Amino acid sequence: MSKFLSSLQEKALLGDGALGTMLTQAGLPPGESPELWMLAHPEKLKIIHQAYLKAGAQVIQTNTFGANRLKLQEYQASSQVQAINLTAARLVREVVGRKAFISGIVGPTGHFPAPLGEYTWGQLVEVFREQMEALQKGGADFIFLETFSDLGEVRAALYAAKNFTTLPVACSLTFTQGRTLTGTSPETAAVVLEAMGADLIGANCSTGPQELLPIIEAYSKATNLPLLVEPNAGMPELIDGKTVYRETPAMMASFIEDFLQLGVKFMGACCGSTPEHILAMKEKLNSLPTAKPKNACTKKSFPTRLASRTKVITMGTNELPRLIGERINPTARKSIAQAFRENKWDLILQEAFEQIEKGADLLDLNVGLPGSNEGDLLPEGIRQLQMALDIPLVLDCTDPIALEKGLQEYQGKALINSVNGEEKSLTTILPLAKKYGAAVLGLTLDEKGIPAKAADRFKIAEKIVKRGLEIGLVKEDILMDCLVLTAATDSTLCLETIKTIYLVKKHLGVSCILGLSNVSHGLPQRSWLNNAFLALALGAGLDAAIANPHDSRISETLAAGALLSGRDPGARNYLQVAGKTPPASTKSTDHTNPLSTLHTYILQGQKEPIISLLEELLTTTDTDPLTIIKQGVIPPLEKIGDLFAAGEIFLPQLLLTSEAAKIAFSYLQKQLPAATFANKGTIVLGTVKGDIHDIGKNIVKALLENHGYKIIDLGKNVPTSSFIQTAKKEKAQIIGLSALMTTTMVEMEKVIQEVKKEKLTVKVLVGGAVVTADYARQIGADGYGKDAGETIKVVEKLLASD
Amino acid sequence: MNFFKVPLTLTFQEVLPFLKMNKEPSPQEKKLIEHYLMEIKQKAQPIGVWKTFPVKYWSPEKISLEGSPLLLEGKNTAQHFQTCEQITLLATTLGAEIDCLLAHLSPRNPAHALIADGVASTAIESFTEQLDCYLSTQIRRKGYFPTARFSPGYGDWALNWQKEFLISLDSKKIGIATTPYFLLQPCKSVTAALGWSNIPLERSYTAPSSTKKPAKKPCCSAHTCHYCQLASSCPDRFKY
């Protein structure tokens, strides 16, 4: 173990503070590259390093945050990567000798890996490699990746550090409101970076220490790695025209104890900090007793964890059994095969989304298409899917070359599906899992095929686990598929699979997954077999099934099986899946009283069952349509209006309710003589000239129609003359004008002036996002609708005053 | 000229304020929100562009920029950027497919349109915020202090400047245009200016406290919500 890492184990180390702040004070002109400036002013850098060393820093950083080829390109200096990094590391060494460690700082390139940015994974790795090799040569004790905001980019940097230097690597991301710029949480970062081999992880920059506490806490819950933190120096003040970070040194120091308790082993400061901060932190550190932090003593254990760029999914004996969607597989599905062949990724995405909507926790991605190159399709598929999906992918591929390309692209922690007991598979696939921080699924088969008996399958599983552990994988990252053969060929073999699951779970303790659908191949009613077999496997300890999420029974069996096998304490998941988590407010429908059921349907906006309920009411109870309208439709409509006015419900619910009421109303109206309902009034509606947004206008239209008004909708971007002509022709009582922007609301006044000029009796009602009551009065409108709900009332008032 | 592409990181909870839902929505509403969250994440092609211009000339009424036809005009506006040496102009959009979705839903199903519109508004705001955070970090690293975002249509900066704004960014490249009435197209697009102040500004820092206060928007403090470009979606709109 490196001296730096062993020092960390003994006690927490103190880093230095911001370089940027100090460089500006030392005379770095605005807009100039700090790295190039260093070459011209090495003595200034030494003064800064010396100041931090004197303040008590035990780790001093190199001035190389932007010393990569892509950043230096902005200053036409990309040829100086070597020189800058070597010089920077040597300058620190000249100052600190052996009194402090040197952190070789590597910052982001400013470019994300494709598809977000224009550089490939391989190009980024080369950029980082060049810088890191120079830092190591210059004498850095570890590589410090800091201020990264994209998991994909930091993963490329970490890969370069692990593979092209022999130094330990610290990874630090920057967070805003709990996520990195591209959406990664601390938990996800911990899972992915730990699997990739980071030695130290944490957060820097972002915000002050207070905001970083919950971030570090989240890290702490998700990893056993030592943590690092470098907060900004908080709030600056302006005193006598100078920027001062008063009080903050003490404030920074006041958080040290909290951070230590969470397992932080390396602490420094970022933007805005100075040697004063480091001094205050040093004094605080020295004043603390050397007792070990509470959390650090107990090593946390974790289940199997897989991750997308943004989300972690757990798997294991104490977790809910998971559903892995199997449908992105061209072998059995022509439409998928064609989509791959024609690069129709939107169809593949659609397929992915549908599976997620049906409850898939992970997605299997199989691109094995005869005549196509998996080595091209797998990475492309990953690029397409991983940006749009937040659930982890299972890479269904056994070609090591294609897998390696795919794993480079995947920014989370994937599951490789699969390795098996064959020597060739073990030696090619397992190292990939280690190198790229993935988990791996083992199949219990080898050169001789799938053994019939459970005991022989177990032996293969044992071998795969042993070999995985030998190359440095942890047990949680090795999973097993005990393989099921179709019941159509030999149904006696099915139970051997169940027995193997039991043995593997009991004696090897690794997570078990099953490719389920094979069991029913060639038989009718496949869902019966799949679900029965799933239930048996859950009983034996299965942790996840690769299955078809569109078979709704699968989710049901998983939920029921989870409950029955003791994985669902309090039946919380079961109740949720069963749809029985009743929010106190929704009352169940009362079938003994169809009118109150109608109320419920209308209030909840459930359109589908309304017609059959009305038919039932009309035929079996012989209630007349007018009574149903008066007692069944109007009361909930009035009630919802009141609830909306009182702020109890929101506009979408009001719309859903009134749509449901309209369906009931039009159906009943047809049962009555045509003249029963008089037209309540005619309204010409439109958005004014220049305005192309009409959602608000359409909402008002729907509500008015549902209240029985006749609406002539002129649409959007309507010229003044159309409003006038239509109002005349239709003998409308009201013109309703909508405008969203300040630039278009002036058109309203033109319509009003025209109405006056033509001496029409029609009233003008105005509304829209930017329109105020004042403005309505000012332009001489007859009414102003603040929102859709109020507009209904204003219309009633305007017509009543006629 | 720099391009910005990151995935949307939108959550259910973030959408509620944009739909003016200050408490639990109904089960039907929830279902619709979940559905459109997914559909909009799928259909949106969020992209941003930005460019930084040195300030050429400052007066209490207007600011002009080196190499741009844009004027940051108006007393509020000039005051907002008073201490800035440079100004970064940025534009973001969710792309035209979202317009198609909204145009399809609007006449057919207002309830769906309302929810989809709310989700899309949240998406463009959140995406713009992501870009803002990214740029702010860079501005701080270079020793300056970022101002809050300010857009044509905020305060007294007339919407009419959208055209010059877009020209300055050559935003045709990411498909943003303006109508003759200065409405941005696609409709879920944002333009904003971010100043590089050489002295600290109160609003440019998240104060170190655990209670999160939402960042104050300049339009809110100026009490001119009704003229704000975001008026229909601003969560603070009805507070004043």
Side-chain angles (χ1 to χ4, degrees):
Chain A
M1 184 181 283
S2 81
K3 205 170 155 230
F4 169 69
L5 286 181
S6 55
S7 297
L8 274 188
Q9 287 194 333
E10 284 162 31
K11 60 177 185 347
L13 291 179
L14 184 64
D16 54 3
L19 269 185
T21 313
M22 300 295 285
L23 286 169
T24 312
Q25 282 177 19
L28 169 71
E32 199 159 303
S33 152
E35 289 81 14
L36 290 173
W37 191 77
M38 165 184 72
L39 294 182
H41 305 86
E43 74 293 347
K44 299 258 168 125
L45 258 296
K46 283 165 92 170
I47 294 170
I48 297 172
H49 294 322
Q50 183 63 45
Y52 277 122
L53 184 70
K54 202 176 147 215
Q58 296 154 298
V59 177
I60 301 287
Q61 61 179 314
T62 56
N63 176 35
T64 50
F65 183 75
N68 63 66
R69 168 182 295 270
L70 298 181
K71 279 271 175 197
L72 289 172
Q73 218 165 3
E74 294 167 22
Y75 305 94
Q76 288 79 45
S78 48
S79 62
Q80 302 207 51
V81 175
Q82 273 259 343
I84 289 171
N85 285 284
L86 270 175
T87 309
R90 284 176 185 159
L91 278 179
V92 181
R93 186 61 79 202
E94 281 170 31
V95 173
V96 304
R98 295 286 147 192
K99 281 184 274 182
F101 295 108
I102 302 177
S103 56
I105 297 290
V106 174
T109 59
H111 300 271
F112 299 143
L116 295 180
E118 63 272 40
Y119 289 94
T120 64
W121 150 279
Q123 286 169 325
L124 288 180
V125 167
E126 278 311 309
V127 168
F128 288 123
R129 172 187 181 160
E130 182 185 24
Q131 183 185 3
M132 289 165 178
E133 283 177 341
L135 282 170
Q136 175 161 29
K137 207 167 157 194
D141 292 295
F142 67 103
I143 299 291
F144 189 178
L145 312 175
E146 61 138 311
T147 329
F148 277 78
S149 51
D150 177 58
L151 189 62
E153 191 188 8
V154 78
R155 216 175 144 270
L158 176 55
Y159 176 89
K162 296 298 287 184
N163 286 279
F164 302 115
T165 76
T166 54
L167 301 176
V169 193
C171 296
S172 177
L173 300 175
T174 168
F175 294 88
T176 314
Q177 294 179 350
R179 299 216 161 236
T180 66
L181 179 65
T182 53
T184 301
S185 65
E187 185 198 14
T188 311
V191 168
V192 173
L193 297 174
E194 181 171 352
M196 283 283 289
D199 298 285
L200 188 67
I201 55 176
N204 75 298
C205 207
S206 326
T207 40
Q210 174 92 52
E211 282 74 22
L212 277 180
L213 261 183
I215 302 279
I216 297 299
E217 198 175 345
Y219 265 121
S220 166
K221 283 183 187 150
T223 183
N224 284 311
L225 287 178
L227 301 178
L228 77 91
V229 64
E230 293 200 333
N232 280 355
M235 181 102 77
E237 288 172 63
L238 195 67
I239 295 168
D240 298 334
K242 274 192 177 169
T243 309
V244 179
Y245 293 82
R246 209 164 50 167
E247 289 181 89
T248 46
M251 194 192 77
M252 291 282 273
S254 70
F255 285 95
I256 286 183
E257 233 175 319
D258 293 335
F259 282 128
L260 290 179
Q261 286 298 333
L262 291 170
V264 167
K265 287 294 193 177
F266 177 52
M267 219 175 311
C270 205
C271 297
S273 62
T274 60
E276 279 176 63
H277 293 84
I278 300 304
L279 183 64
M281 290 167 80
K282 180 75 193 171
E283 282 165 0
K284 182 75 187 181
L285 258 180
N286 287 344
S287 75
L288 294 174
T290 48
K292 280 202 166 180
K294 281 179 251 164
N295 302 350
C297 306
T298 47
K299 209 168 177 209
K300 296 171 281 275
S301 62
F302 297 103
T304 295
R305 293 183 295 177
L306 300 167
S308 66
R309 298 169 42 258
T310 51
K311 190 173 175 181
V312 175
I313 293 284
T314 55
M315 215 183 273
T317 309
N318 297 317
E319 309 293 317
L320 288 171
R322 304 296 180 186
L323 173 55
I324 303 172
E326 67 177 7
R327 289 175 59 81
I328 305 182
N329 188 332
T331 324
R333 300 190 59 211
K334 276 190 195 148
S335 58
I336 296 289
Q338 196 171 350
F340 278 136
R341 222 170 264 130
E342 293 167 7
N343 277 322
K344 288 195 171 152
W345 293 104
D346 51 333
L347 292 180
I348 305 286
L349 264 178
Q350 189 61 37
E351 182 63 60
F353 279 110
E354 281 169 14
Q355 293 188 80
I356 297 170
E357 249 179 335
K358 299 283 181 195
D361 301 297
L362 301 105
L363 284 185
D364 191 82
L365 172 63
N366 184 319
V367 299
L369 188 65
S372 287
N373 184 354
E374 272 191 284
D376 295 333
L377 267 182
L378 189 66
E380 183 57 25
I382 290 168
R383 275 193 292 270
Q384 295 284 344
L385 289 178
Q386 72 173 344
M387 285 303 142
L389 308 181
D390 68 347
I391 68 174
L393 292 179
V394 176
L395 309 184
D396 195 347
C397 173
T398 50
D399 169 10
I401 296 169
L403 261 177
E404 177 149 22
K405 284 192 189 168
L407 287 165
Q408 290 176 347
E409 292 296 332
Y410 195 59
Q411 299 178 0
K413 181 179 172 189
L415 175 61
I416 298 173
N417 178 14
S418 57
V419 67
N420 62 50
E422 289 179 63
E423 197 51 40
K424 198 176 128 211
S425 173
L426 290 167
T427 50
T428 53
I429 306 288
L430 288 176
L432 289 178
K434 177 71 189 159
K435 193 171 173 190
Y436 293 100
V440 62
L441 179 61
L443 306 186
T444 56
L445 62 85
D446 60 14
E447 289 85 351
K448 288 178 241 156
I450 305 174
K453 291 293 165 197
D456 298 322
R457 293 191 198 181
F458 176 78
K459 273 186 202 146
I460 299 175
E462 202 175 22
K463 175 168 133 192
I464 296 173
V465 172
K466 184 168 162 273
R467 295 285 293 272
L469 294 176
E470 275 170 11
I471 66 148
L473 291 175
V474 294
K475 206 168 67 176
E476 290 75 25
D477 291 345
I478 308 170
L479 298 87
M480 208 53 67
D481 184 338
C482 301
L483 297 176
V484 61
L485 299 167
T486 169
T489 14
D490 184 353
S491 61
T492 60
L493 283 181
C494 294
L495 276 181
E496 292 301 318
T497 308
I498 304 295
K499 282 183 209 159
T500 320
I501 295 174
Y502 179 77
L503 288 173
V504 168
K505 288 291 287 186
K506 186 172 177 197
H507 298 291
L508 299 176
V510 301
S511 297
C512 279
I513 289 183
L514 194 59
L516 190 63
S517 307
N518 215 14
V519 72
S520 59
H521 199 80
L523 289 167
Q525 300 295 356
R526 294 188 66 176
S527 172
W528 297 3
L529 290 165
N530 292 348
N531 281 280
F533 197 68
L534 176 58
L536 288 172
L538 287 169
L542 188 75
D543 298 298
I546 304 178
N548 178 3
H550 288 276
D551 177 355
S552 61
R553 285 188 190 142
I554 298 280
S555 314
E556 294 162 12
T557 309
L558 281 170
L563 178 63
L564 295 174
S565 56
R567 291 166 162 223
D568 183 9
R572 202 175 299 162
N573 176 65
Y574 181 78
L575 288 176
Q576 202 185 350
V577 175
K580 293 252 172 67
T581 36
S585 59
T586 52
K587 290 183 198 108
S588 61
T589 49
D590 179 1
H591 286 289
T592 58
N593 184 351
L595 270 184
S596 82
T597 307
L598 182 59
H599 288 189
T600 311
Y601 287 162
I602 292 179
L603 281 174
Q604 294 184 347
Q606 295 192 48
K607 291 188 265 186
E608 296 77 16
I610 282 183
I611 299 293
S612 63
L613 179 72
L614 290 176
E615 278 168 0
E616 187 191 322
L617 269 166
L618 289 169
T619 52
T620 57
T621 66
D622 212 21
T623 325
D624 81 283
L626 207 55
T627 313
I628 303 178
I629 289 178
K630 279 182 184 154
Q631 294 178 12
V633 183
I634 304 289
L637 206 53
E638 280 176 351
K639 187 177 172 197
I640 206 84
D642 292 344
L643 285 173
F644 180 72
E648 294 291 317
I649 59 142
F650 304 116
L651 187 53
Q653 189 61 42
L654 181 69
L655 286 165
L656 290 167
T657 299
S658 79
E659 278 166 23
K662 187 184 172 191
I663 286 177
F665 193 77
S666 351
Y667 179 80
L668 293 165
Q669 210 175 9
K670 282 183 207 142
Q671 322 289 323
L672 291 164
T676 313
F677 295 99
N679 173 16
K680 283 172 79 179
T682 302
I683 303 169
V684 174
L685 212 56
T687 70
V688 293
K689 184 149 192 282
D691 219 315
I692 47 175
H693 302 293
D694 66 348
I695 289 178
K697 185 263 299 170
N698 284 336
I699 288 167
V700 170
K701 175 190 169 190
L703 285 177
L704 286 171
E705 269 180 347
N706 298 345
H707 277 76
Y709 296 99
K710 183 183 174 195
I711 305 297
I712 318 283
D713 182 5
L714 297 179
K716 49 194 175 184
N717 196 11
V718 180
T720 302
S721 57
S722 295
F723 281 112
I724 302 296
Q725 280 160 19
T726 315
K728 275 192 201 164
K729 193 174 133 217
E730 300 286 337
K731 300 192 175 54
Q733 282 93 343
I734 294 179
I735 295 176
L737 303 174
S738 165
L740 184 77
M741 309 293 283
T742 48
T743 44
T744 55
M745 69 180 189
V746 290
E747 294 289 329
M748 291 176 155
E749 193 172 3
K750 292 188 189 160
V751 177
I752 292 171
Q753 281 167 357
E754 201 61 24
V755 165
K756 286 183 182 155
K757 209 168 102 191
E758 299 246 347
K759 299 199 170 62
L760 300 181
T761 54
V762 67
K763 306 221 160 136
V764 182
L765 170 65
V766 299
V770 293
V771 182
T772 62
D774 277 349
Y775 185 75
R777 253 195 309 277
Q778 195 188 317
I779 61 174
D782 300 292
Y784 161 66
K786 185 169 141 276
D787 54 45
E790 208 179 277
T791 305
I792 308 292
K793 290 186 191 152
V794 177
V795 165
E796 274 166 18
K797 242 189 255 168
L798 284 178
L799 290 178
S801 66
D802 254 353
Chain B
M1 188 86 60
N2 294 283
F3 294 95
F4 182 77
K5 254 169 97 181
V6 300
L8 291 174
T9 58
L10 210 55
T11 61
F12 182 85
Q13 286 305 328
E14 284 171 73
V15 176
L16 301 185
F18 276 80
L19 287 165
K20 304 184 188 97
M21 292 178 169
N22 47 9
K23 59 184 168 200
E24 192 76 357
S26 72
Q28 292 85 354
E29 288 169 331
K30 262 190 190 168
K31 235 170 109 181
L32 287 178
I33 296 172
E34 302 266 2
H35 176 86
Y36 285 108
L37 259 176
M38 214 171 205
E39 181 153 0
I40 280 167
K41 278 187 187 175
Q42 188 188 342
K43 294 208 161 129
Q45 298 197 312
I47 185 165
V49 60
W50 82 87
K51 195 173 175 184
T52 302
F53 299 87
V55 168
K56 188 160 85 185
Y57 169 80
W58 184 92
S59 80
E61 285 83 33
K62 61 175 174 245
I63 298 171
S64 64
L65 305 173
E66 208 84 62
S68 159
L70 181 68
L71 289 183
L72 291 81
E73 200 180 38
K75 275 186 183 161
N76 286 351
T77 312
Q79 196 185 355
H80 185 81
F81 296 104
Q82 193 170 1
T83 56
C84 296
E85 287 179 10
Q86 305 190 79
I87 286 170
T88 297
L89 303 182
L90 62 99
T92 53
T93 182
L94 295 185
E97 269 216 58
I98 300 300
D99 282 29
C100 295
L101 173 69
L102 296 176
H104 175 82
L105 290 174
S106 179
R108 287 173 186 79
N109 202 328
H112 286 238
L114 183 62
I115 301 259
D117 186 66
V119 174
S121 294
T122 323
I124 189 61
E125 264 303 287
S126 138
F127 179 68
T128 309
E129 188 63 31
Q130 280 174 283
L131 176 55
D132 183 333
C133 284
Y134 179 68
L135 295 174
S136 296
T137 307
Q138 297 202 337
I139 293 172
R140 283 197 192 106
R141 278 214 159 254
K142 293 191 172 151
Y144 291 87
F145 305 92
T147 66
R149 290 201 300 276
F150 205 92
S151 304
Y154 277 19
D156 53 3
W157 192 9
L159 205 55
N160 309 24
W161 286 106
Q162 290 289 32
K163 203 174 139 202
E164 286 74 12
F165 200 115
L166 293 179
I167 290 170
S168 309
L169 280 177
D170 198 6
S171 58
K172 267 182 294 185
K173 281 191 181 148
I174 61 165
I176 307 182
T178 164
T179 70
Y181 286 80
F182 309 107
L183 274 62
L184 295 181
Q185 277 193 313
C187 66
K188 296 304 170 193
S189 304
V190 167
T191 52
L194 202 59
W196 300 45
S197 169
N198 49 22
I199 59 164
L201 302 162
E202 190 203 338
R203 63 178 151 253
S204 61
Y205 279 85
T206 317
S209 85
S210 58
T211 49
K212 279 247 154 60
K213 283 177 225 142
K216 231 182 180 187
K217 288 189 175 144
C219 55
C220 299
S221 56
H223 288 247
T224 49
C225 284
H226 294 302
Y227 303 99
C228 170
Q229 194 182 35
L230 297 167
S232 60
S233 56
C234 173
D236 295 331
R237 178 175 184 222
F238 297 109
K239 288 186 188 158
Y240 298 97

